[in-house]
Amino acid sequence: DAGVIQSPRHEVTEMGQEVTLRCKPISGHNSLFWYRQTMMRGLELLIYFNNNVPIDDSGMPEDRFSAKMPNASFSTLKIQPSEPRDSAVYFCASSLAGSDTQYFGPGTRLTVL
Amino acid sequence: KQEVTQIPAALSVPEGENLVLNCSFTDSAIYNLQWFRQDPGKGLTSLLLIQSSQREQTSGRLNASLDKSSGRSTLYIAASQPGDSATYLCAVKGDYKLSFGAGTTVTVRA
């Protein structure tokens, strides 16, 4: 298995631009998590999907952030418009229902200039 | 809100020395606690998972203990090697959500 796949690995953009991060969970996993990691705040859960349905989006910082999971094998996290304070590493993780183990992707390092 | 603290923030030891990493959490109502390893530019890899009913877990040179009532966990790494250099994060699980500590960055000097 290829594990959780994220793209792009690195993204540099200018303030005000739209940014879309992509995630392919491990096949068969039905829970998906988006996290953000910064030096100041550490690793924070942004949103959690179960069976493609958003269960908890309380960690999404503001309306500029949105996430979708149109099917079991794909999810996106979009930031529109982006701001310099959005610069961070964004991780996607997936797990099997009933399992305590989350498998993390390699992350997308976002830099907003 | 669950607060997870890891001390120390960084640790440098010579090869062969045993490592002791500490994690504390404020809310003892947890389902489990996990220790993760993070290498630079990489994602997180789960090392050990301790259920709330357990006191410890072992895997090779790694041993993790859990004292839920006092809100503490300790990760022991025996006979450290340069390949153990990484950041180690602990995370506690309540319902489905993981709350992470900031991590301890370990450097093992050859």
Side-chain angles (χ1 to χ4, degrees):
Chain A
D1 197 319
V4 176
I5 298 172
Q6 292 187 245
S7 64
R9 294 294 312 278
H10 302 273
E11 176 80 34
V12 180
T13 191
E14 293 189 346
M15 183 174 63
Q17 295 298 306
E18 177 180 296
V19 175
T20 300
L21 311 182
R22 297 172 176 79
C23 175
K24 177 178 169 58
I26 292 173
S27 177
H29 284 191
N30 54 358
S31 294
L32 185 139
F33 307 81
W34 281 100
Y35 292 90
R36 179 172 67 176
Q37 187 177 39
T38 62
M39 290 292 291
M40 289 294 293
R41 300 175 66 90
L43 202 62
E44 303 173 287
L45 178 66
L46 298 178
I47 187 168
Y48 157 57
F49 290 89
N50 189 50
N51 291 324
N52 312 337
V53 176
I55 303 300
D56 182 357
D57 64 356
S58 60
M60 297 286 264
E62 45 196 281
D63 292 345
R64 297 184 297 106
F65 285 70
S66 63
K68 294 182 180 179
M69 192 164 187
N71 57 62
S73 59
F74 184 65
S75 177
T76 59
L77 178 67
K78 185 176 294 186
I79 309 172
Q80 166 63 20
S82 59
E83 296 183 2
R85 60 193 168 117
D86 301 331
S87 298
V89 181
Y90 292 81
F91 288 102
C92 175
S94 70
S95 72
L96 208 49
S99 169
D100 289 319
T101 303
Q102 294 184 20
Y103 295 84
F104 282 73
T108 295
R109 181 173 295 277
L110 173 65
T111 302
V112 183
L113 304 174
Chain B
K1 181 189 172 189
Q2 180 74 267
E3 301 286 343
V4 182
T5 304
Q6 291 188 245
I7 294 173
L11 190 58
S12 179
V13 299
E15 183 177 3
E17 192 165 301
N18 296 332
L19 289 163
V20 180
L21 309 180
N22 298 299
C23 173
S24 61
F25 47 95
T26 54
D27 186 352
S28 61
I30 65 170
Y31 283 97
N32 60 52
L33 182 144
Q34 291 187 68
W35 283 93
F36 290 86
R37 170 181 172 140
Q38 184 175 24
D39 292 287
K42 303 281 182 64
L44 280 68
T45 301
S46 181
L47 297 173
L48 289 169
L49 185 152
I50 312 175
Q51 299 293 350
S52 62
S53 58
Q54 296 176 315
R55 298 284 293 183
E56 66 177 336
Q57 275 287 353
T58 298
S59 176
R61 294 183 295 111
L62 277 59
N63 174 275
S65 65
L66 173 64
D67 184 341
K68 199 175 78 162
S69 60
S70 67
R72 294 181 182 178
S73 177
T74 301
L75 177 66
Y76 300 90
I77 304 178
S80 62
Q81 304 168 359
D84 295 329
S85 297
T87 296
Y88 293 83
L89 295 96
C90 74
V92 295
K93 183 179 180 183
D95 293 330
Y96 54 84
K97 184 178 289 191
L98 290 179
S99 298
F100 286 85
T104 295
T105 298
V106 171
T107 303
V108 181
R109 308 186 303 272

